[in-house]
Amino acid sequence: MESAEVTKMRDEHFMREALQMARLAKETGEVPVGAVLVRSGQIVSAGFNQSISKCDPTAHAEIVAIRSAAKKQFNYRLIDCELYVTIEPCAMCIGAMLHARIRRLVFGALEPRAGALQSHLQLLEKKHFNHSIVWNGGVLQDRCGSLMTEFFAERRKSPRD
């Protein structure tokens, strides 16, 4: 079992990778959310929000990373995987994680409007699911949150078509 300090360093490392994905989303005009899926200390897949560019309301960063990992693993069950995401996941993404059997979830900033883990619903606290996910929030939360704040401030300033 690793120490709390080692876990913290590992979580921050992978959250920085998720932040890189969030920056890619921002560069393409998407809401800047990024995710990386990790197994045995290695990134298996990564994703960023693509709902606008793909005209797909389900193309959240978490879903993109889960779909990619499932294809690479030739299995829809992603047992022993950890998912790092820059923003607290929504209900849809929590549902996908439960179905995929993600072992652990780590997120950065809270999502006060649609967050379904801590901000609202507390979905992973429900006992009726046949799987449970260990989770930790607030990893590099200032960086993750400021990326979202900056994105929406810029959008409010620029004229819309």
Side-chain angles (χ1 to χ4, degrees):
M1 180 172 244
E2 67 186 27
S3 72
E5 186 59 33
V6 170
T7 299
K8 180 179 185 238
M9 287 172 41
R10 182 172 45 85
D11 286 353
E12 288 177 356
H13 167 74
F14 288 119
M15 190 59 69
R16 282 190 289 277
E17 296 293 327
L19 275 163
Q20 284 296 102
M21 298 306 295
R23 289 182 191 101
L24 286 174
K26 183 179 178 186
E27 289 171 14
T28 63
E30 298 278 355
V31 175
V33 180
V36 294
L37 197 131
V38 175
R39 175 182 269 155
S40 302
Q42 300 294 316
I43 295 176
V44 174
S45 66
F48 59 87
N49 274 9
Q50 298 174 43
S51 296
I52 298 166
S53 60
K54 292 193 176 207
C55 297
D56 180 355
T58 69
H60 289 194
E62 302 95 311
I63 302 293
V64 171
I66 288 170
R67 284 178 179 156
S68 176
K71 284 182 182 178
K72 286 179 185 176
Q73 303 289 320
F74 298 104
N75 194 339
Y76 73 107
R77 299 287 196 220
L78 300 173
I79 297 167
D80 293 329
C81 289
E82 299 173 296
L83 185 63
Y84 291 82
V85 60
T86 56
I87 300 298
E88 176 186 11
C90 70
M92 174 185 69
C93 293
I94 294 288
M97 289 175 219
L98 286 164
H99 286 291
R101 304 297 193 262
I102 300 295
R103 181 178 62 80
R104 183 167 179 261
L105 164 67
V106 178
F107 70 88
L110 292 174
E111 210 306 357
R113 292 179 185 246
L117 181 57
Q118 194 170 347
S119 296
H120 303 286
L121 302 177
Q122 292 80 37
L123 286 177
L124 293 182
E125 303 303 317
K126 309 298 184 207
K127 302 297 181 207
H128 64 275
F129 294 118
N130 62 348
H131 177 69
S132 61
I133 299 172
V134 175
W135 63 274
N136 181 34
V139 175
L140 302 181
Q141 69 182 12
D142 291 342
R143 289 187 210 174
C144 295
S146 64
L147 190 59
M148 291 287 278
T149 302
E150 292 164 11
F151 174 79
F152 285 110
E154 289 169 13
R155 285 195 63 172
R156 282 190 291 275
K157 287 181 194 174
S158 63
R160 300 209 179 169
D161 348 35

